[in-house]
Amino acid sequence: MARTLPALIPDVVPGRLRELEEIFALIDRLGDDAEVRTLTHVELAGSRLPVHGIVLGAADRSAPTLLVVGGVHGLERIGTRVVLAFLHTLTERLRWDAVLRETLSRSRICLVPLVNPGGMLQRTRSNPRGVDLMRNAPTSAAAQSTFLVGGHRLSPALPWFMGEGDGMEPEAEALCRFVEEEVFGADVAISLDCHSGFGFDDQLWFPYARTRAPFPHLPEVFALKRLLDATLPHHVYRVEPQAQNYTVHGDLWDHLHDLYAARRPEGTFLPLTLEMGSWTWVKKNPRQLFDVLGSFNPIKPHRLRRTLRRHIPLFEFLVRAAASASAWATADPQLRETRSAAAYELWYAD
């Protein structure tokens, strides 16, 4: 049962974090169409900032599932904004779209729109304890990771700090717990974690981040890419392994994928990362560099609107791809071998 806006908002500093208040408003409008859980709270400046998980669709947790995540890095507000644009569209369509309701009767959409509200409120990449949540999982790079960017334990004053010791931060732990409870039951699941700040192109990365060795679900990733290319032939995304760009310690999606694979060796979990190319926004408006948010977000209103509508087709594609996984995620050994060879040639041969 969804909680209402008045029950959620009192501990939030009014007007300080519009993304959080938009989450409250959308939860209120979703009403009984959503199951809403408060995964954890972040204490900051006298406020308790909630991290919410939202579940739409079938009650059966084995149903095909799409997970959408944003706001892992507090500076990358656009990640949360595009997730909220998608959630807004879903909220409106649930009022009139019988096809969407039929799809959700046999599939699920899970969302965590804002994982790191403390970092977003502070305008920092890390959480309020100085930890980069995407370097905080108990996984290590197979070889030496990219210096600093790949995670370090030198100081929380530096970006990409992994945290001290083996424990995970409350926000990262809460996200992982939600994924284990709501996603790991699915025979086929796709996740999309929305980030910005790397290069000029919009990229779709898949694991692993810790090693350049091929991903175990390479045939399924290749099949999904081929389906995307055929369905949206003019799409803007470059699909590739994350480790071709850099390797890291402590990647949450490496960790979650391996947990899922250990528990469900016959299942398929494809964690994707949308890395929006923020350098284009800076190139068009170099003055953005004088604002700490400018390197990671579109500042001009028309560019923000363009970005918010740019990725809706991708979200819609993934909803349908997850719900129709039997059409492309095959268990046939010969077909998997053929796809694996084609994927290796595409991504790893050089």
Side-chain angles (χ1 to χ4, degrees), residues 239-258:
V239 183
E240 62 187 7
Q242 179 174 341
Q244 287 189 351
N245 297 281
Y246 54 84
T247 55
V248 305
H249 298 296
D251 185 86
L252 288 174
W253 300 111
D254 282 13
H255 171 61
L256 285 165
H257 170 268
D258 289 351

Side-chain angles (χ1 to χ4, degrees), residues 9-335:
I9 204 167
D11 294 325
V12 180
V13 180
R16 291 286 300 277
L17 196 53
R18 77 174 77 175
E19 289 84 355
L20 196 53
E21 296 197 3
E22 186 173 347
I23 293 170
F24 299 147
L26 287 169
I27 286 172
D28 191 49
R29 288 167 58 196
L30 280 165
D32 291 341
D33 283 324
E35 177 190 343
V36 181
R37 293 163 49 191
T38 301
L39 309 183
T40 190
H41 283 92
V42 178
E43 305 283 345
L44 181 65
S47 296
R48 298 180 73 240
L49 306 173
V51 177
H52 289 122
I54 302 168
V55 180
L56 305 172
D60 180 4
R61 292 183 178 181
S62 69
T65 300
L66 171 65
L67 168 70
V68 180
V69 175
V72 171
H73 293 138
L75 286 177
E76 299 171 20
R77 302 182 77 148
I78 189 61
T80 291
R81 298 295 296 274
V82 298
V83 174
L84 292 177
F86 172 53
L87 183 56
H88 172 90
T89 297
L90 289 174
T91 302
E92 290 301 317
R93 287 178 58 198
L94 282 168
R95 297 173 183 270
W96 58 267
D97 190 344
V99 174
L100 175 61
R101 284 198 174 273
E102 193 280 329
T103 300
L104 288 176
S105 71
R106 53 187 172 81
S107 64
R108 310 174 86 230
I109 302 174
C110 302
L111 307 99
V112 185
L114 179 48
V115 176
N116 183 13
M120 194 168 288
L121 189 60
Q122 287 187 318
R123 293 160 62 99
T124 60
R125 175 184 174 90
S126 64
N127 74 351
R129 288 159 50 91
V131 177
D132 185 330
L133 299 177
M134 282 307 298
R135 306 291 184 272
N136 188 230
T139 61
S140 297
Q144 184 175 1
S145 68
T146 306
F147 180 63
L148 287 184
V149 173
H152 64 84
R153 300 194 189 277
L154 299 175
S155 168
L158 297 173
W160 311 296
F161 180 62
M162 299 170 60
E164 298 175 352
D166 297 328
M168 296 177 69
E169 292 296 295
E171 302 94 330
E173 187 175 25
L175 173 63
C176 289
R177 186 169 57 248
F178 179 75
V179 174
E180 290 184 61
E181 293 173 355
E182 299 295 344
V183 178
F184 278 20
D187 294 327
V188 177
I190 303 169
S191 68
L192 185 68
D193 184 16
C194 300
H195 291 256
S196 69
F198 189 89
F200 291 100
D201 299 322
D202 291 339
Q203 299 168 76
L204 286 174
W205 288 344
F206 60 87
Y208 286 120
R210 69 174 185 266
T211 175
R212 291 184 171 86
F215 179 50
H217 286 296
L218 204 57
E220 288 73 28
V221 169
F222 180 78
L224 187 63
K225 178 196 181 302
R226 191 166 64 177
L227 189 66
L228 174 65
D229 292 344
T231 306
L232 300 175
H234 307 296
H235 73 76
V236 297
Y237 306 102
R238 188 167 77 244
V239 183
E240 62 187 7
Q242 179 174 341
Q244 287 189 351
N245 297 281
Y246 54 84
T247 55
V248 305
H249 298 296
D251 185 86
L252 288 174
W253 300 111
D254 282 13
H255 171 61
L256 285 165
H257 170 268
D258 289 351
L259 282 180
Y260 175 93
R263 298 180 192 181
R264 300 182 63 88
E266 301 303 318
T268 299
F269 177 35
L270 304 182
L272 307 177
T273 297
L274 169 59
E275 190 74 27
M276 289 173 272
S278 66
W279 296 1
T280 299
W281 306 322
V282 175
K283 179 182 178 182
K284 293 180 177 179
N285 183 28
R287 287 178 295 179
Q288 289 189 195
L289 289 172
F290 294 100
D291 187 314
V292 68
L293 299 179
S295 296
F296 301 95
N297 303 277
I299 302 300
K300 295 285 189 179
H302 70 282
R303 292 196 184 106
L304 173 60
R305 291 193 298 270
R306 184 182 303 150
T307 303
L308 295 181
R309 65 177 178 262
R310 177 184 181 94
H311 302 289
I312 293 296
L314 174 65
F315 287 117
E316 298 288 353
F317 166 80
L318 292 175
V319 168
R320 288 162 173 76
S324 306
S326 60
W328 57 271
T330 179
D332 178 74
Q334 185 172 355
L335 183 54

